[in-house]
Amino acid sequence: MRSPAWLLYGMTRSVAGELMLTQERILFETSDGRRIFDAPLGEIIAVKFPWYYFGGGMKLRIGAEAYRVSFARPGNLPDDLDQSGDIGSARRSGAEWKTALTASIRNR
């Protein structure tokens, strides 16, 4: 499973990339190829889909690190022709990730 995503830092900083899930691992790779995290699913301590993300994001804790993930393009980025990250696709991605991660965590 793969989705365009943004890691959110504070109120004004975000990093674009791709969130990926295999049967054994979850990873986030930036658009310039840096891996922010690459962890076995067993290291996921918590995953939440807060109501205020409107289904288009999640909070993820892997080991001691916490991450905020948005499937919608943050408002602090310039507009371009790329339509990935619109609210409709963000909510669809959020629902898919919720199903996949909930099943993965439950099956441990």
Side-chain angles (χ1 to χ4, degrees):
M1 187 165 137
R2 296 171 170 258
S3 298
W6 290 262
L7 288 183
L8 306 175
Y9 299 99
M11 296 295 289
T12 60
R13 187 166 170 257
S14 60
V15 175
E18 189 172 44
L19 187 64
M20 294 169 262
L21 179 70
T22 67
Q23 289 183 344
E24 300 175 12
R25 303 190 76 76
I26 186 167
L27 62 104
F28 184 89
E29 189 172 284
T30 65
S31 50
D32 63 2
R34 288 181 299 124
R35 288 237 169 122
I36 302 296
F37 58 81
D38 181 355
L41 292 178
E43 290 184 14
I44 296 174
I45 293 174
V47 61
K48 297 179 182 177
F49 293 82
W51 66 267
Y52 48 84
Y53 282 18
F54 300 104
M58 66 181 174
K59 291 184 172 188
L60 181 65
R61 181 170 289 281
I62 301 171
E65 297 294 323
Y67 302 96
R68 292 184 309 136
V69 177
S70 177
F71 299 111
R73 181 196 333 270
N76 63 336
L77 297 178
D79 288 335
D80 61 15
L81 297 176
D82 179 12
Q83 292 301 307
S84 64
D86 66 51
I87 193 62
S89 63
R91 293 186 73 185
R92 284 187 295 279
S93 291
E96 291 170 1
W97 280 93
K98 185 174 187 176
T99 299
L101 290 176
T102 301
S104 294
I105 292 171
R106 190 178 320 126
N107 290 333
R108 284 195 254 167

